[in-house]
Amino acid sequence: MKSAHLMLQFFTLQNANDIFTNLRSDLNQFNIFATYEQYKLPANVLQNHLVTSNNPQTSLGGLRDISLKLFVKKVPVLLLSNVQSKNDALTIPLLFPRMIKQELPILVYGCNSIQKDLLQTKVNLTFKKIPDQILSHKETRLYLETRSTRQRSFKELCIPLTQILGLPKAIQNFLKLVIGNQEFKPIPEIILNLILLSDFQSRYAALLFSFEHALLQSKQPVSVLLSSYLLIINDLPFPVFKSFILKTIQEYLHQLPKTSKILNELKNTHNHNDLLILFIQAIWRTPEDERDIDQKEKLLVWQILSSGIILHRSQKDCDYWQEALFMDQIESGTPPYQEFLAHLVKYAQEKTLSEELSTDELLQNHLQKSLHYYTSFFQPYIADDVNANVDQLLIQQHFLSLLFSSKTTDNSKKLPLNMDSIQNRELHYPPNVLVRTYAHTVKHIIQNKVKNFIGEGLGKQPELYQDKYFPLLYDSVIASSGFPLSQNTFALWLRNFRILHNLESKGYVPTTDVDEKYFMSLETLTANKDFFPRDYKSSDFFDEFDSIKQEKDNLFNKLTILAKRNSLNPTFALFASLLKKSEATLWTALATKKLPPNSLQKLWFQLVKKAAIHSKLCNLTNADYIVLKLPKSFKNLLYLGNSIKLKIEKQPIQIYFIASNTNTTSKLDSLSVTYLRFLYAFLKKAEYAGIAQFIKILDKILPILYPYFYFLSLQTIDLLLYNLYEQNAILQRPKIKELKNKIPDSKKLFIGNMASIKVNTLLQANYIRIPSKEIPSISIGSFVQSARNYYSVITELETIYNNTNFLLNFVNFSTPEPFKRDNAWQKLVNNLNVFASILNKSVDSMQQSEIQALHEAATSSHELIVKLKPTNNPQANVLGFLLFLWQKKFPNKTRKFDIYSDFLMAGETGRENNLLIQLRDIQTLFSNLSEKQCIIILPEIHKRFHFDYVIEIGRLLSTYKTNCLFYLNTSNFTNDQLLEVSAYFHPHSFFQADDLKT
């Protein structure tokens, strides 16, 4: 193996060379040449509330610089020496999550056992128990108890803790006694945890001080504050953090008269981004009809946020320190050092082997990670003249309709699939590449389905369904679609992406008796693990598929024979009918939609109704819907219908069925048990024998169908990737050097610094002689800001659109008929109709004329309403009468009555408003995109944000479909960066600036 080079990064209080000498010698034995860079971390960073500028841990910008060096420069390791446990900044753990995820080792050198314990011990925030790690280490406990006996120092460490809100009342009272020099009972559980919390608070004090300054001074853009904030908080469990914030705000609500309206919206937030934006609004923006917020209230809002950060980080950081390797000295014989060295050797060797990325690797990565974008753009199909077998028909009928939602009428976007490879038993891509592609695609489909479920109908209020919520979600998202995902894996996936928490309370019960061989594991779904062995070949794939297919065919042949022998049996007739249509997707709810008339589905409906009537279900519930659990052995009944609407004694009721993970009724709710008793009784009757047979047949079919369809789905993915690649190849993209003569200058758009390339090789005009303002270019920062505006404005306009329709209905319904002829009333209604009509369009399709129309309608509405006084006499002023009714009926929704203010220019409302400016900026952006034939992106990769900017641009351009060709300058990109951007940009669009010659 050729010699490998490894760059190490030290964060140290002493000269890194002392640590590096032995390490370099050991690495040389493995033919690895190592070098290092170091950050020196000065002590005592917070003195008299002044933050020293030479410590990268005390500013978020400094931490972002460290992060960039660690991950952009391929730095694989973080080494610390003489780490302090108190009084000094120690915010390095903010970088640990990403390091741990990438399996990069963390070495902590020079800590004694007490310092190690203090870093790894989690504060008990109930203050009722001494942490186990302290109890089991006498030396550390003695150290803490000694500190607690020093009255003056103990008082000094307690003073900052009084600024932490949300501590138990008993602890708050205890702190007051200590600080007031009053007598207090020295309870060890309280004292030791307070010392641990104080030490932790001192590590983050300087960083939070700098963030507080940036937040309260309003000198940084929201985007910068967001990126900084996410570095502090992104790994914290959002639901728990949000719950703490809401509880603390409620406690201090009486002290927040001016910001309470904004903070009240926190309960509707779904991620850390939204939460911080509301905090920024509470601190920066003036609430409606009130003067500027005073400094005291701003500081309280910040105190709530910072308290949540301190308390929750005190629980999270300790877990990261547990992942680090601690050692007193670097000696080859010690086990921790040997483990650390093995990590470094493996990383260096793998890095060297993958030093060069081929175009094929990048292309595979592009197709596998971007297929889900194509699902809304292309419409693949099997041509009618193809002599299709059963497998091919299933691909057409099930997989293409499941994976692809596009129904385009544009012939250029229709993608005929060449079926030769399936007929010739060939795969174009390695099986594990297909698994990862399928996983990426399925993941995005599931994410959208979960998002829709949670945001609509049943899913909006999980508390109403309690322990039935998870089974309903699983049935709606997974079972009905036929994805090979067990309940166990689905639950892990929801937790992994922090979509739902406390799943057990929502009805998830882990099962151990499920054969998950052909189900997708979490590692497979997140593309972190190969599904097949590394040496698995296409021939192995088809051999295994043949075996599964033969087993499926044998079983179906038996069913067909039974159907002929028992022609009057509705169960066998059902399967025979479905088999004849090649509709063997019986493990999904899709099949039940195609059941023949008078089938078992109708019989099941009758059975549900009879059991409901006899159990007097309507009398047992006051709701217009009910969720009932079935034992696990009856789960196959759900394929006949899991949601049935009945009318019993003139009372409509919707019944949702879900399957339990157990066969014992003792774990079912009383309502389900009552209903189930009658269901059992009816199932024993001869007229319902077909349903019992249906359950037994599916029990035999499903274990075969799961692997059969999984293998078939991978063949479908192989077809899609190959055909999409062929189509991209046919495009005959001009090479970067051919742009000068093939595309007019007016059809080119440069994003980034044009000075970074030899631009005259791309422009027909002489760049030096013509004024720079005539060159079609935009800075990369401006483009990204427009992209961010696009996403934020979409949400804001949707809210305004809903409010407009709500207001229109109110105005029409509440105005007495004679007064609808009033000119002012008609003018207001016309303006609202303008809003509703234009806001119903997609943001990227809005024209400047329409944005101007919004402004003019807003100005007109403003003139009508701004000087309006409420009156209960419509004859005096019909609009004043409406305002009077609105304030009476909706006292907390005054803001919704003046929706027009969002479309006024700054100054017309007496306050700054950016929405109109953002809309015009977005319209200019998409107008530019629609008019151009090619876009050349020129990031300056040495600038810390530019790589992130490229990803943001790629994400926007991959969702906004355009006919533009894209070219990306990848000079100085690392292999990891190339792989990441290839998920959004076609690898054929990459070019190196050095390749351009004058």
Side-chain angles (χ1 to χ4, degrees), residues 608-617 648 674 678 682 685:
V608 170
K609 188 172 184 179
K610 277 191 176 183
I613 293 172
H614 283 75
S615 63
K616 298 182 180 179
L617 197 60
I648 307 172
T674 302
F678 292 95
F682 285 111
K685 296 185 178 182

Side-chain angles (χ1 to χ4, degrees), residues 657-932:
F657 288 101
I658 58 176
S660 169
N661 280 326
T662 176
N663 279 324
T664 62
T665 57
S666 60
K667 294 186 178 180
L668 302 182
D669 58 279
S670 59
L671 197 61
S672 296
V673 172
T674 302
Y675 179 83
L676 200 58
R677 186 157 38 90
F678 292 95
L679 191 67
Y680 275 142
F682 285 111
L683 273 174
K684 293 178 181 178
K685 296 185 178 182
E687 60 184 297
Y688 297 113
I691 292 180
Q693 289 174 335
F694 178 82
I695 296 173
K696 292 178 181 177
I697 292 172
L698 277 185
D699 280 337
K700 293 182 178 180
I701 287 180
L702 294 179
I704 298 172
L705 285 183
Y706 273 116
Y708 169 68
F709 279 100
Y710 188 63
F711 271 71
L712 202 58
S713 66
L714 296 183
Q715 294 179 56
T716 309
I717 293 293
D718 187 64
L719 282 174
L720 293 171
L721 291 183
Y722 179 70
N723 283 275
L724 284 169
Y725 169 73
E726 286 295 300
Q727 191 197 60
N728 276 300
I730 292 171
L731 291 177
Q732 295 182 348
R733 172 193 301 271
K735 294 180 180 179
I736 187 71
K737 298 176 183 178
E738 299 172 341
L739 293 184
K740 179 171 185 175
N741 298 318
K742 285 199 172 184
I743 297 179
D745 288 352
S746 61
K747 296 297 182 181
K748 299 166 187 167
L749 176 65
F750 292 87
I751 301 176
N753 183 4
M754 295 176 67
S756 63
I757 63 168
K758 297 174 181 176
V759 74
N760 283 332
T761 61
L762 302 176
L763 289 171
Q764 296 167 0
N766 190 325
Y767 175 65
I768 298 174
R769 294 182 180 179
I770 62 175
S772 59
K773 66 180 180 180
E774 294 184 16
I775 300 296
S777 67
I778 182 174
S779 74
I780 196 167
S782 298
F783 190 93
V784 168
Q785 188 57 54
S786 297
R788 289 173 179 173
N789 289 343
Y790 172 65
Y791 291 117
S792 64
V793 165
I794 286 175
T795 304
E796 198 164 350
L797 290 187
E798 184 179 352
T799 301
I800 297 173
Y801 174 72
N802 292 333
N803 290 343
T804 299
N805 287 326
F806 183 84
L807 187 56
L808 257 175
N809 291 332
F810 169 80
V811 168
N812 278 309
F813 180 79
S814 302
T815 306
E817 197 62 38
F819 298 100
K820 290 185 178 180
R821 292 188 290 273
D822 184 272
N823 288 336
W825 185 90
Q826 291 180 354
K827 197 172 185 179
L828 177 64
V829 170
N830 287 339
N831 291 338
L832 291 175
N833 281 322
V834 169
F835 291 145
S837 174
I838 297 175
L839 296 179
N840 195 31
K841 300 183 65 173
S842 62
V843 176
D844 50 275
S845 66
M846 282 190 190
Q847 303 298 314
Q848 284 288 5
S849 58
E850 292 172 317
I851 298 172
Q852 182 61 27
L854 286 174
H855 174 56
E856 291 172 359
T859 305
S860 173
S861 300
H862 180 64
E863 293 171 353
L864 289 171
I865 295 174
V866 68
K867 296 179 181 179
L868 212 57
K869 292 183 179 180
T871 174
N872 60 359
N873 182 3
Q875 203 161 9
N877 190 324
V878 65
L879 297 186
F881 172 69
L882 290 174
L883 182 59
F884 169 78
L885 291 180
W886 180 274
Q887 293 178 348
K888 186 177 180 182
K889 193 171 183 178
F890 310 111
N892 297 323
K893 295 182 179 180
T894 306
R895 179 73 183 84
K896 287 187 177 181
F897 198 82
D898 65 344
I899 56 170
Y900 60 83
S901 61
D902 289 300
F903 301 103
L904 295 175
M905 294 296 290
E908 292 178 332
T909 58
R911 63 187 177 91
E912 188 69 22
N913 193 297
N914 291 320
L915 185 57
L916 199 63
I917 298 171
Q918 289 175 337
L919 268 177
R920 286 174 172 155
D921 179 51
I922 292 167
Q923 196 281 327
T924 301
L925 167 71
F926 287 108
S927 176
N928 270 333
L929 291 179
S930 64
E931 292 172 359
K932 304 302 178 183

Side-chain angles (χ1 to χ4, degrees), residues 371-581:
L371 183 62
H372 62 278
Y373 291 123
Y374 290 106
T375 61
S376 59
F377 189 48
F378 286 102
Q379 182 60 49
Y381 67 97
I382 299 175
D384 294 335
D385 59 349
V386 171
N387 184 19
N389 58 27
V390 171
D391 293 345
Q392 294 167 18
L393 284 172
L394 285 171
I395 289 175
Q396 174 72 37
Q397 294 168 349
H398 176 62
F399 293 110
L400 297 187
S401 61
L402 177 63
L403 297 176
F404 283 73
S405 58
S406 174
K407 300 296 179 185
T408 179
T409 56
D410 184 350
N411 288 330
S412 66
K413 300 297 185 291
K414 291 192 174 183
L415 184 66
L417 296 182
N418 185 334
M419 305 294 291
D420 291 343
S421 60
I422 286 186
Q423 294 170 348
N424 297 332
R425 297 168 58 83
E426 295 174 352
L427 291 177
H428 299 99
Y429 298 91
N432 281 317
V433 170
L434 302 179
V435 172
R436 287 192 291 272
T437 307
Y438 187 46
H440 277 286
T441 308
V442 168
K443 179 184 74 174
H444 283 273
I445 294 172
I446 292 175
Q447 281 177 325
N448 289 331
K449 283 179 171 286
V450 170
K451 183 179 178 181
N452 291 337
F453 180 91
I454 292 175
E456 299 174 3
L458 279 175
K460 276 188 175 179
Q461 297 175 292
E463 65 277 3
L464 295 179
Y465 308 98
Q466 300 177 2
D467 62 344
K468 303 176 181 70
Y469 189 81
F470 177 80
L472 276 172
L473 176 63
Y474 178 80
D475 188 72
S476 299
V477 173
I478 305 300
S480 63
S481 302
F483 292 123
L485 210 66
S486 69
Q487 289 197 24
N488 288 347
T489 304
F490 184 53
L492 288 172
W493 182 84
L494 289 170
R495 285 173 175 152
N496 188 64
F497 288 96
R498 299 175 180 173
I499 294 174
L500 284 178
H501 65 288
N502 296 334
L503 294 178
E504 281 76 9
S505 67
K506 293 179 173 64
Y508 166 60
V509 179
T511 55
T512 57
D513 58 343
V514 178
D515 181 7
E516 298 192 358
K517 179 181 178 184
Y518 291 106
F519 282 64
M520 297 178 77
S521 66
L522 182 66
E523 290 84 358
T524 304
L525 191 62
T526 54
N528 290 330
K529 184 180 179 181
D530 288 337
F531 185 84
F532 299 105
R534 289 289 179 96
D535 57 352
Y536 196 82
K537 303 172 184 175
S538 290
S539 57
D540 300 324
F541 178 92
F542 281 101
D543 288 344
E544 191 169 353
F545 179 57
D546 286 344
S547 175
I548 294 167
K549 186 179 176 183
Q550 185 61 51
E551 194 176 357
K552 183 266 299 182
D553 289 342
N554 291 340
L555 182 58
F556 280 11
N557 288 335
K558 290 179 183 178
L559 289 172
T560 305
I561 293 170
L562 287 172
K564 290 179 180 178
R565 291 177 183 173
N566 303 273
S567 57
L568 298 178
N569 188 309
T571 311
F572 298 127
L574 163 67
F575 283 100
S577 173
L578 291 174
L579 286 170
K580 186 179 289 186
K581 296 179 180 178

